[in-house]
Amino acid sequence: MWGSNEAGITGPTAAALWRADTAPAPLADTQAWRQFVVSAQHADLTASTLRIVQAPHVAVDLSAQAQSPALMAAGEALLAERGFDAARACLLEGGMANCTEARPAWHTALRSPDASLRVAGQVATERERVRSFVRRADAEGRYRHVVNIGIGGSDWGPRLVVSALGNAGTRRDMRFVSNIDGHAIEAGLLGLDPLHTLFIVSSKSFNTIETLRNAERAVEWLRAAGVQDVNAHMVAVTSNVAGAARLGISDEHVFKLWDWAGGRYSVWSSIGLPIALALGVETLDGLLEGAAEMDAHFASAPISENAPVQLALTALVNRNVFGYPSLNIAAYDARLTNLAPYLQQLDMESLGKSVDVYGRPVSVPTGSLVWGVSGTDAQHTFFQWLHQGTDPTPVDFVVCREADHTFADHHRLLLANCLAQREALLRGKSFDTLLPEVSKTESDPDRAAWLARHKVHPGGRPSTLLVLPRLTAQSLGALLALYEHKVFVQGIVWGINPFDQWGVEYGKVLATGIAEELNGGAPRPHDVSTAHWVDAWK
């Protein structure tokens, strides 16, 4: 699967991908996979052995996941067979990692301190342009309000970082508008002073309909308020300079993106401009620094101590051996309320694939359903289902060892709840243990047995505990990069491309046609239900 491309950098070769006679055996038919599955089935899931992998800014406790020396060895053999070393080099060196779109997936270059990279000059130039813009705005006291208009990767990254690190306040009033629903842009504009507002329009293609329509509404709002120089209140982050110009945004107000940085991996680029405006240039720099440290760890740590790799192998066991279809993200930090949807896009858009890189149906289930709410709110919504439901679900618990507030008793209770929920999921509570307890207050033996059965916790439900020393720009950057690399490793083993998203595009095409119909255009062929509602809503 992995060879040399035209640039001489390791990557999937065209012949290997397009010719069926060069394709290797499907994953499920390989000896390495079968051995991995058998080893996982016989592994220990009792947390009898402490297993913590230390990475930059985060400790990954895998003690409550399946583990054994045999499983560790089988995981390493599986990675070797799937060409992991070559695939990792391809990613980190700017090879053609995104094979279906014939381009790199070089988001690591956006945060790399290595000046020798062939794109280092471009990246450094845009970094400095962002910093200069923010410093000038700070020095001149411009923009009390900032509205970021983008969707998907142009929204979730900045939204997450600003909410996580701006809990104590931001330098500017920050708004995020993503949805095409008019209520979103209406709420985003409510109460703002047009003369002191900046709009950041973020879209790599500058063709995203939600972003363009909301940006056009922002221009109308500025002009209706009598703003003469709209360009002074708008900047764009895009690879389509001409598209930004059509909206009235001058070249000097356009910050560049590149096609080798995917949207869900783009918070490290000029997409991070809202972060710098809200929290300062140094916060954006810290975010990049933490991610770069995780990149270095991923590139050099031995497999057994490589946090993203071990997190990925654990995910493969849970998804493919135990058959768990989803992953819950339980961040025990109220500032990380946007972590679950951020990771939801990263994981599900990357791994929600049913065809391998050779164009064949995949031979094992791929991406998981990723979902979650921050703890302890989660305990009062869906933890009942996690503990006693019929579908066991792995949980990633994320917590900060130190808080940034002065209420020590609150933080102790938060930590206690995190550890307790994790322990309860793993240990469970049996009928034999419960029956004597219930019998102390229930004298009727039959009723006691009946009630005890309702209280049984099955246990044996795996989880990972990710511990940050405290929530800083560096630790958040490292955490996000950790998950990026975890997703990449899963994609390599499954033989899928985690950097395209063709499934997203089809619905966009259909929506464009339906919108034209709703505006009086010619009818198009539809199923009976869609045709009914198009006709009803014209």
Side-chain angles (χ1 to χ4, degrees):
M1 173 177 169
W2 297 91
S4 296
N5 62 20
E6 294 178 359
I9 297 172
T10 303
T13 64
L17 297 177
W18 296 345
R19 291 178 49 194
D21 60 344
T22 65
L27 174 63
D29 295 338
T30 65
Q31 179 60 32
W33 178 254
R34 287 194 290 266
Q35 187 58 51
F36 181 73
V37 171
V38 169
S39 299
Q41 290 170 337
H42 291 88
D44 177 50
L45 184 54
T46 62
S48 59
T49 302
L50 182 66
R51 183 175 173 226
I52 299 175
V53 178
Q54 186 63 55
H57 304 287
V58 57
V60 181
D61 186 344
L62 297 164
S63 306
Q65 296 283 2
Q67 57 174 313
S68 72
L71 179 57
M72 179 69 74
E76 294 198 24
L78 176 64
L79 290 171
E81 184 191 76
R82 304 303 286 175
F84 168 68
D85 286 341
R88 176 173 56 180
C90 174
L91 176 78
L92 299 176
E93 296 171 20
M96 196 176 65
N98 183 351
C99 55
T100 59
E101 296 178 293
R103 61 195 185 201
W106 214 0
H107 42 278
T108 57
L110 297 170
R111 61 231 190 183
S112 174
D114 186 356
S116 69
L117 298 180
R118 67 181 187 277
V119 294
Q122 303 172 52
V123 172
T125 296
E126 289 305 305
R127 279 184 193 165
E128 187 50 39
R129 289 188 66 226
V130 166
R131 286 151 181 72
S132 295
F133 180 87
V134 174
R135 292 187 185 110
R136 186 166 60 252
D138 288 347
E140 297 174 3
R142 285 189 284 140
Y143 312 128
R144 291 203 305 266
H145 319 288
V146 177
V147 181
N148 187 77
I149 299 177
I151 197 166
S154 299
D155 172 78
W156 279 120
R159 187 191 290 262
L160 164 63
V161 177
V162 171
S163 64
L165 302 178
N167 189 62
T170 57
R171 299 182 180 189
R172 294 174 171 87
D173 172 25
M174 299 296 301
R175 308 277 180 96
F176 291 90
V177 175
S178 56
N179 205 303
I180 192 59
D181 187 339
H183 296 104
I185 186 66
E186 182 180 53
L189 299 175
L190 187 65
L192 301 187
D193 182 345
L195 296 178
H196 296 281
T197 299
L198 174 70
F199 292 95
I200 303 172
V201 185
S202 294
S203 169
K204 186 162 70 172
S205 67
F206 227 75
N207 290 322
T208 307
I209 187 63
E210 297 97 330
T211 300
L212 289 186
R213 190 55 50 86
N214 282 329
E216 290 164 358
R217 190 67 65 209
V219 171
E220 294 171 4
W221 180 77
L222 287 169
R223 288 177 174 157
V227 174
Q228 300 298 316
D229 184 7
V230 170
N231 180 66
H233 296 268
M234 302 197 79
V235 299
V237 183
T238 183
S239 61
N240 184 356
V241 177
R246 286 193 290 273
L247 196 65
I249 302 175
S250 63
D251 288 3
E252 60 269 22
H253 274 206
V254 176
F255 298 95
K256 185 174 177 57
L257 291 177
W258 300 275
D259 64 2
W260 44 258
R264 57 191 175 277
Y265 299 91
S266 64
V267 68
W268 323 104
S269 69
S270 299
I271 292 290
L273 174 60
I275 299 169
L277 285 166
L279 305 171
V281 167
E282 57 279 356
T283 298
L284 181 58
D285 288 342
L287 191 79
L288 299 177
E289 178 186 323
E293 290 180 69
M294 186 60 71
D295 293 342
H297 169 83
F298 177 60
S300 62
I303 293 297
S304 62
E305 296 301 321
N306 196 305
V309 172
Q310 291 304 315
L311 206 56
L313 291 174
T314 294
L316 291 169
V317 169
N318 288 331
R319 183 71 178 102
N320 298 123
V321 181
F322 298 150
Y324 302 142
S326 74
L327 170 66
N328 177 256
I329 305 296
Y332 273 70
D333 193 305
R335 297 168 294 180
L336 292 175
T337 185
N338 286 317
L339 180 63
Y342 177 89
L343 296 180
Q344 189 175 66
Q345 185 200 11
L346 171 65
D347 196 300
M348 296 179 73
E349 199 165 79
S350 298
L351 300 178
K353 311 292 172 61
S354 56
V355 175
D356 70 12
V357 295
Y358 299 97
R360 306 174 301 190
V362 296
S363 57
V364 299
T366 59
S368 300
L369 166 64
V370 178
W371 56 285
V373 174
S374 58
T376 59
D377 294 292
Q379 295 172 197
H380 297 269
T381 50
F382 53 76
F383 262 60
Q384 166 63 37
W385 183 86
L386 288 176
H387 284 292
Q388 292 187 307
T390 56
D391 295 291
T393 296
V395 180
D396 279 3
F397 289 89
V398 183
V399 72
C400 296
R401 189 182 67 232
E402 302 290 339
D404 292 303
H405 55 69
T406 59
F407 310 120
D409 57 328
H410 281 251
H411 196 61
R412 282 192 295 269
L413 283 170
L414 182 74
L415 296 177
N417 273 274
C418 177
L419 293 177
Q421 294 296 328
R422 183 168 179 254
E423 186 173 32
L425 285 168
L426 180 68
R427 289 176 55 185
K429 199 165 186 180
S430 69
F431 175 81
D432 290 341
T433 300
L434 283 160
L435 184 58
E437 293 181 7
V438 176
S439 297
K440 292 178 181 178
T441 55
E442 293 291 341
S443 58
D444 183 333
D446 290 337
R447 177 173 172 78
W450 169 78
L451 189 56
R453 282 192 289 271
H454 284 275
K455 295 188 175 186
V456 168
H457 283 57
R461 304 196 167 190
S463 67
T464 298
L465 178 64
L466 298 100
V467 182
L468 282 60
R470 65 186 326 126
L471 189 58
T472 65
Q474 288 82 359
S475 64
L476 183 56
L479 180 68
L480 301 187
L482 168 70
Y483 275 101
E484 286 180 352
H485 295 315
K486 173 234 182 193
V487 164
F488 171 70
V489 175
Q490 287 176 260
I492 292 305
V493 173
W494 283 329
I496 61 178
N497 179 10
F499 300 116
D500 62 15
Q501 56 277 335
W502 300 108
V504 177
E505 304 303 322
Y506 182 38
K508 292 181 180 179
V509 173
L510 293 180
T512 299
I514 291 173
E516 291 174 359
E517 289 183 77
L518 293 177
N519 284 325
R524 301 181 183 218
H526 298 292
D527 62 88
V528 292
S529 176
T530 303
H532 168 79
W533 291 112
V534 168
D535 185 63
W537 292 346
K538 280 183 180 179

